[in-house]
Every structure is written in C-alpha cells, then in structure tokens.
C-alpha cells in the first residue's frame, strides 16, 4: 500500500474508487461520487502543483540555492545539516519529498493525457506531454535512471522497472515534438482556456514552451562525445514546427489568483517571504545572503544587488552584509545583522510564480548559438537575456546596457570564453527564481569555476554533490529494481550527461 502512495493517481480520492468495475451487488449509484474528472478540472490543479512543488517556491529546492551560493543558512539553525555538509542519506527528507512530489504531479498529467485522448482534446494531450517532460527531466537530472515506461500505472505495475536515463531523455524529446505539433492544430474553448493558469489557452505560447524545454534537454547533452549530430537533428525538428523559443516578455508563469490568505499566497512568498499578518516566515530568517553571491554583485557595481538582497535588518539598515557558506554563527543575531532575500524576487503575496523565464530561455539560446546549434546571434541572445533579467527584477534596460558595456565581467568582447561568460551571467540571473538550473550547469560544465564549497566543520567530502540518492522508500517497496541500479554515491555516481 505504501508503494501506491507514490505511483497512484492523486487527482482525487474518488478516482481510486470510481476506477473499479461495478459488481452485481452494487445496487446504488451515488451521484456525488464521480467516476471521471473532466480534463479542465485536472489541469488547473496539476499546473498549480507544479508551480508549488517543482520550482523555486518549494522549500525542498532550497538546497540548490545554498549549494550555488545565492543564500546561506546559519550553523546554529536546527536543520539543513545535509545541505551544509553534503552528507545526506537515502532517508534525507529533501530527496524523498522531491521524488514523491514529482511522481505525484506526474500521476495527474498521466490521467489528464489518458482522459483527453479518450475525448479527443488535443490541447490537453499536448499540455500533459509537455508537463510530463518537465517533471521527468528533473527526475532524471536528480536521480539518473528512474521508473518511466511503467510509472503512473500502479494497477498494472506495483513495482515499476527503472529505465535508462538517456533513453528517457530521448523519448522526452519525441514527446515534446508531438506536443508542439498538436499545439499547431489544437483548438481551445473559453472554458478550457480559463483552466490553463500558465498561458490562458495560448497554443503559440505553449508551443514555444515545449520547444524551449526541448532545447534545455538537448543542451544538457552538449558535453557528451558523439552527441553533436543528434542535437543538430533534434533542433532541426524544433525549427520545423515553426513556434520558435520563448523570447523577451514571453516567460511562462503561474498565477491562479493568489490571495493574502493562508494557503493561497504565491508559494515562493509563502515560504521565503511573509505571512498573512506581515511577519516574516521562518525560512525568510534562515535564508540569508551568501558572500560569494553578494560579492559578485558588489565587486562589479551590479545594480541587481539591491533587488536580490536587502540591507541588514530586513531592509531597515543601510549596509549590505553577507556570510560565508557554511559559516557557524549565532543565529539569534543574524536576521538583524545579515542581508536577507531581496524585493526583486520577493515582490508580493500575489506575484506570478515563474516556471521558465524569458531570460532563462535567452541564455539557453545564447549557449546553443555559441555552440553552433542555432543560427541566431549568440551575443544578441546573451545581451537580451541580461536585459530581461534586469527588467524582471524591477530595473531598466538602460541600466542593463550600461552594465553590459562598462563591466568586464559582463562585456561580450572582453571575455574570450563565451560559454563561461554566458553561464556565469546565467548563474547571476537565476538567483531567486530557479537554482536547479545553475546546479545542473555546474555539474555538466563545472561553471562557475570558482564556486565555493561549504566551510562547515561537518563537511567530509569537499565537493558539491552531483546527484540525489534514491529515497529509502524505494528500497523498502521496490527493492529489486532499485538495488539493480547498484551502489549510488552522491559525489561519484554521475547523471549520464555529466561527463566532466
């Protein structure tokens, strides 16, 4: 039964009973016990859960913000031992919850796709395929080989096999091609558009999302020997569908109508910002400025400093102060003496939650162009990405232009290693929106090259982990399949695309 908690549908408890065949002793029909949930009803909840559990709004993604030195948490805080020391086990709640949340979300999209195929609703089918690719990419990026072909089918496969990570990636690329082509012909009713809290039924926007996600998947494999032609061929398929990629002002955001009510605030604000009564949350006091992240901005006269971090005393002071990642300090004093998360990312209780921003997409395009996979200008894509990030944080394009011109750390001409430049500025831009992507870039490229290691006394292996461990629950309930994956180590068992 425990296994089913991970792999069964979670759309609603009614589905578990409604899916059973009616026996001859069943003489009563309950009109309140629906056997089928309409795709539109499933879509809204599934998309909202993706935003809450698989983006920067999730407390369980804070490990990457710490490892990438955006934030640090004082050593006196109870918790974050695993993040500070890198010494986590199969029982680490962070990894266990990531696994459960992703598969739970996937069950909703699997149901959405099945029901939509039965009713011939191509828009919902395409959305389901796109979002399944979103979730599965992160599962692969976190764990490597994972259940795929037999997942979300608990009635048939109580113990789903593990598929090879590269095979999953290649199938995700195909699924995204199918999704993009379905978006080309899909029609969306006003009611269905209202259920789409990401793009309001805009099929062109969804097509660009699918293409951008596929580009992200392909670039993950850019360092692998022998993959260049495969990447070129797959990008040609993207070009053929005609949607292009997410451009300036076209990011994907979630906003179902956040309210300043318990449980209904923007998830990032609810975790790292302020409660309904205006008092700061516990995590707002725990997650403070890391010296590496702040120094980069201060040393290069970066206008984003005041948007990514507050001055001390939660903005009431006049100076910026940071702490070295892993440093042991007296927590009771830090909230008034160390800078907290800034108002450029913590905007309001009803701010839209970024799924994939225009600046992330533009950085992906800049890297792809620099590698010769796209014909667009790498420099233009790169500079557009930096400008888009400035605008997202509440700054101006003019300020970004000055920064790109005057600061060697950002100037295209001043940097001979263009990939390193793109990745460093991408790292700077993703602060407070999605730290998983910089962690992934670091694993595949070892960039930024000067990323510090935690100085906590509990660190025994001075290396940022390259993966998560399979959760203990898998060893308890799906033992044969997970044990077949061999001994897994967070420092040496690399994901297939990580060949450094």
């Amino acid at each position: 039964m425990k296994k089913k908690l991970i792999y069964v549908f979670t759309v609603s408890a009614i589905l578990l009973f409604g899916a059973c065949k009616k026996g001859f002793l069943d003489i009563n029909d309950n009109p309140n016990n629906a056997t089928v949930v309409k795709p539109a009803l499933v879509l809204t909840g599934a998309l909202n859960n993706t935003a809450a559990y698989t983006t920067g709004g999730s407390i369980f993604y804070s490990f990457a913000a710490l490892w990438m030195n955006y934030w640090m948490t004082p050593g006196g805080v109870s918790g974050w031992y695993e993040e500070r020391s890198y010494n986590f086990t199969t029982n680490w709640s962070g990894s266990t919850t990531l696994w459960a949340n992703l598969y739970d979300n996937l069950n909703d999209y699997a149901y959405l796709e099945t029901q939509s195929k039965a009713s011939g609703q191509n828009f919902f089918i395409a959305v389901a395929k796109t979002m399944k690719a979103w979730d599965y990419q992160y599962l692969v990026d976190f764990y490597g080989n994972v259940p795929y072909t037999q997942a979300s089918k608990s009635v048939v496969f109580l113990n789903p096999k593990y598929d090879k990570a590269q095979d999953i990636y290649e199938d995700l690329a195909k699924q995204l091609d199918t999704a993009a082509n379905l978006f080309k012909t899909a029609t969306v009713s006003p009611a269905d558009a209202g259920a789409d809290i990401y793009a309001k039924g805009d099929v062109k926007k969804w097509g660009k999302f699918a293409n951008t996600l596929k580009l992200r998947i392909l670039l993950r494999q850019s360092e692998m020997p022998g993959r260049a032609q495969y990447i070129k061929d797959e990008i040609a398929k993207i070009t053929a569908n005609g949607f292009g990629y997410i451009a300036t002002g076209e990011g994907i955001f979630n906003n179902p109508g956040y309210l300043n009510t318990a449980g209904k605030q923007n998830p990032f604000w609810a975790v790292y910002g302020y409660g309904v009564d205006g008092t700061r949350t516990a995590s707002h006091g725990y997650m403070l400025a890391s010296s590496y992240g702040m120094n980069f901005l201060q040393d290069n006269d970066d206008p984003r400093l005041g948007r990514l971090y507050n001055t001390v005393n939660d903005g009431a002071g006049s100076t910026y102060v940071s702490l070295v990642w892993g440093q042991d300090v007296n927590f009771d004093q830090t909230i008034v003496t160390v800078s907290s998360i800034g108002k450029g990312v913590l905007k309001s209780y009803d701010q839209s939650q970024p799924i994939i921003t225009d600046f992330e997409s533009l950085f992906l395009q800049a890297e792809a162009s620099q590698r010769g996979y796209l014909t667009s200008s790498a420099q233009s894509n790169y500079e557009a990405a930096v400008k888009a990030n400035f605008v997202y944080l509440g700054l101006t394009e003019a300020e970004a232009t000055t920064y790109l011109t005057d600061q060697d750390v950002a100037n295209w001409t001043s940097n001979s290693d263009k990939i390193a430049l793109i990745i460093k500025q991408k790292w700077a831009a993703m602060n407070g929106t999605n730290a998983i992507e910089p962690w992934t870039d670091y694993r595949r490229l070892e960039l930024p090259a000067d990323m510090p290691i935690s100085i906590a006394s509990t660190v025994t292996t001075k290396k940022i982990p390259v993966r998560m461990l399979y959760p203990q629950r898998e060893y308890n309930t799906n033992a044969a399949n997970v044990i077949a994956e061999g001994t897994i180590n967070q420092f040496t068992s690399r994901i297939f695309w990580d060949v450094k």
Side-chain angles (χ1 to χ4, degrees):
M1 291 301 294
K2 286 184 178 180
K3 187 65 185 176
K4 291 185 179 182
L5 292 177
I6 296 179
Y7 294 103
V8 296
F9 294 124
T10 58
V11 175
S12 170
I14 57 176
L15 293 177
L16 297 177
F17 300 99
C20 299
K21 290 184 178 180
K22 187 176 179 68
F24 72 93
L25 293 177
D26 298 323
I27 59 175
N28 295 315
D29 289 314
N30 182 356
N32 296 317
N33 189 18
T35 58
V36 176
V37 178
K38 293 181 179 180
L41 298 178
V42 178
L43 177 64
T44 301
L47 293 177
N48 197 48
N49 284 339
T50 300
Y53 300 139
T54 70
T55 69
S58 172
I59 187 66
F60 299 103
Y61 276 47
S62 62
F63 73 90
L66 296 168
W67 292 351
M68 291 297 98
N69 276 265
Y70 296 133
W71 309 334
M72 67 83 63
T73 186
V77 179
S78 177
W80 289 284
Y81 166 80
E82 291 87 352
E83 290 89 339
R84 288 167 54 83
S85 67
Y86 313 127
N87 293 324
F88 53 84
T89 69
T90 57
N91 284 311
W92 180 30
S93 61
S95 180
T96 299
T97 305
L98 288 173
W99 178 280
N101 282 347
L102 284 163
Y103 274 111
D104 182 67
N105 200 220
L106 280 163
N107 288 331
D108 288 344
Y109 291 124
Y111 179 83
L112 174 65
E113 184 173 6
T114 299
Q115 293 301 114
S116 300
K117 284 181 177 178
S119 56
Q121 295 175 279
N122 285 347
F123 173 68
F124 290 120
I125 297 171
V127 170
K129 287 181 178 294
T130 302
M131 298 313 299
K132 284 170 66 177
W134 172 276
D135 282 345
Y136 272 118
Q137 177 179 27
Y138 276 135
L139 277 167
V140 169
D141 292 347
F142 290 150
Y143 303 98
N145 300 343
V146 295
Y148 179 66
T149 54
Q150 294 182 356
S152 297
K153 302 174 183 177
S154 62
V155 176
V156 180
F157 302 107
L158 289 176
N159 302 106
K161 70 174 184 177
Y162 281 57
D163 295 273
K164 292 185 181 298
Q166 184 170 332
D167 291 346
I168 296 172
Y169 251 46
E170 291 181 358
D171 193 62
L172 295 182
K174 294 177 182 177
Q175 296 298 320
L176 288 168
D177 286 339
T178 300
N181 286 323
L182 286 172
F183 284 130
K184 290 171 69 174
T185 58
T187 57
V188 187
S189 70
D192 291 344
D196 173 13
I197 52 178
Y198 283 7
K200 304 302 181 187
D202 186 338
V203 292
K204 292 183 178 179
K205 196 169 186 178
W206 272 106
K208 291 183 177 185
F209 182 19
N211 285 349
T212 304
L213 182 54
K214 182 179 176 181
L215 181 63
R216 183 204 271 178
I217 286 173
L218 296 174
L219 285 177
R220 291 280 203 270
Q221 304 168 69
S222 61
E223 296 295 304
M224 294 175 63
R227 292 300 273 180
Q229 190 57 52
Y230 167 79
I231 294 172
K232 290 179 181 178
D233 292 344
E234 291 302 309
I235 286 179
K237 296 176 185 177
I238 296 176
T239 303
N241 69 46
F243 282 118
Y245 304 97
I246 292 172
T248 300
E250 295 180 340
I252 298 293
F253 293 83
N254 178 64
N255 198 327
Y258 295 123
L259 302 171
N260 196 27
T261 304
K264 297 183 180 181
Q265 295 177 312
N266 166 281
F268 185 73
W269 179 271
V271 172
Y272 300 109
Y274 303 87
V276 174
D277 61 357
T279 58
R280 57 177 174 257
T281 63
S283 291
H284 184 72
Y286 298 157
M287 297 298 168
L288 304 171
S290 168
S291 294
Y292 179 80
M294 180 175 282
N295 289 347
F296 176 80
L297 302 172
Q298 290 179 314
D299 293 346
N300 297 291
D301 293 329
D302 196 321
R304 291 174 290 186
L305 172 65
R307 308 303 296 170
L308 295 172
Y309 302 106
N310 290 324
T311 54
V312 296
N313 200 13
D314 211 22
S318 59
T319 60
Y320 292 95
V321 176
S322 61
L323 294 172
V324 176
W325 167 224
Q327 181 178 349
D328 289 319
V329 294
N330 183 347
F331 171 72
D332 291 336
Q333 301 298 318
T334 53
I335 191 61
V336 296
T337 59
V338 182
S339 296
S340 56
I341 301 172
K343 295 178 175 58
V345 288
L346 274 175
K347 302 179 182 185
S348 66
Y349 68 83
D350 59 352
Q351 68 186 70
S352 295
Q353 181 63 29
I355 306 301
I356 187 166
T357 58
D358 54 357
F359 51 88
E360 181 191 345
S361 173
L362 289 161
F363 278 120
L364 290 171
Q365 294 173 64
E367 181 183 349
S369 298
Q370 183 61 29
R371 292 182 181 277
Y373 294 132
L374 297 180
T375 58
S376 55
S377 166
Q379 180 178 355
S380 296
N381 287 329
Y382 161 76
E383 292 178 348
V386 175
K387 292 175 182 177
N389 179 241
F390 271 57
V391 171
Y392 174 78
L393 294 173
L395 301 168
T396 66
E397 283 196 20
E399 289 174 291
T401 299
T402 299
Y403 173 72
L404 287 164
T405 302
D406 294 350
Q407 299 302 322
D408 287 342
V409 74
N411 186 274
W412 182 264
T413 305
S414 300
N415 289 268
S416 58
D417 190 338
K418 308 300 186 186
I419 296 296
L421 171 66
I422 292 167
I423 298 302
K424 185 64 178 262
Q425 284 295 328
K426 181 181 176 184
W427 164 84
M430 299 297 280
N431 188 340
T433 54
N434 185 337
I436 299 299
E437 290 307 303
W439 177 47
T440 300
D441 287 337
Y442 181 78
R443 288 182 288 165
R444 71 184 176 99
L445 300 170
E446 295 184 351
L447 296 171
D450 58 346
M451 184 65 62
I453 304 299
S454 169
I455 64 169
S457 59
T458 51
V459 172
T460 55
T461 300
K462 295 185 181 300
K463 183 179 180 182
I464 297 172
V466 297
R467 61 163 297 147
M468 295 295 180
L469 303 180
Y470 295 119
Q472 185 59 42
R473 195 170 196 169
E474 279 294 283
Y475 290 97
N476 295 341
T477 60
N478 196 13
N481 287 314
V482 70
I483 290 173
E485 294 303 312
T487 302
I488 305 298
N489 182 282
Q490 64 258 48
F491 301 109
T492 59
S493 302
R494 296 177 178 274
I495 307 304
F496 80 97
W497 42 253
D498 182 2
V499 295
K500 287 290 186 183

